[in-house]
Amino acid sequence: MRKSDKKIDNLIREVLTEICEGTLKNYDGFLWVTHTVKFPSFPQSLHIICVFESNQDRANFLMSDGQQHVSTTIQKAFHQVGVQLKNANKQISYETR
């Protein structure tokens, strides 16, 4: 990993940690948020994964306004640090462990 890649990864982790500790803790069954990225094609390759305890927790979240709220929060948080998500609907997913 190049030094610049490490800086990007640290930035991503800082943003996601803030999101995890703040907004997402308000949703039942939410466990954590993680990411994958291919640095040569960042930020298009950034994929954010919000993980829930069970399929029911995930379903309840998706049926509420949670998905819209979390997606907007993630986009705003990355925008504040100069990272634009080109296609948030494809770059943010909600899964179970």
Side-chain angles (χ1 to χ4, degrees), residues 28-34 47-62 93-97:
D28 290 337
F30 172 76
L31 296 175
W32 67 81
V33 61
T34 190
H47 183 225
I48 300 156
I49 305 117
C50 300
V51 181
F52 289 83
E53 175 72 33
S54 68
N55 287 332
Q56 187 62 50
D57 291 328
R58 179 182 169 272
N60 291 342
F61 170 81
L62 294 174
S93 64
Y94 304 92
E95 301 175 11
T96 58
R97 64 176 173 153

Side-chain angles (χ1 to χ4, degrees):
M1 183 181 290
R2 298 177 311 182
K3 187 175 182 179
S4 61
D5 295 344
K6 186 70 172 169
K7 285 182 180 182
I8 292 169
D9 198 54
N10 286 338
L11 176 69
I12 294 168
R13 284 189 284 120
E14 287 174 16
V15 170
L16 294 180
T17 297
E18 184 177 316
I19 290 167
C20 186
E21 291 174 353
T23 306
L24 294 182
K25 71 180 179 184
N26 297 317
Y27 296 98
D28 290 337
F30 172 76
L31 296 175
W32 67 81
V33 61
T34 190
H35 72 284
T36 61
V37 64
K38 293 178 183 167
F39 294 106
S41 58
F42 176 80
Q44 295 83 3
S45 66
L46 178 61
H47 183 225
I48 300 156
I49 305 117
C50 300
V51 181
F52 289 83
E53 175 72 33
S54 68
N55 287 332
Q56 187 62 50
D57 291 328
R58 179 182 169 272
N60 291 342
F61 170 81
L62 294 174
M63 289 189 309
S64 72
D65 67 342
Q67 182 176 2
Q68 178 63 37
H69 180 257
V70 170
S71 177
T72 300
T73 301
I74 290 170
Q75 290 177 73
K76 284 181 181 179
F78 277 106
H79 179 73
Q80 289 177 348
V81 297
V83 175
Q84 297 294 325
L85 299 180
K86 301 289 184 191
N87 190 345
N89 291 332
K90 291 186 179 182
Q91 289 181 270
I92 303 170
S93 64
Y94 304 92
E95 301 175 11
T96 58
R97 64 176 173 153

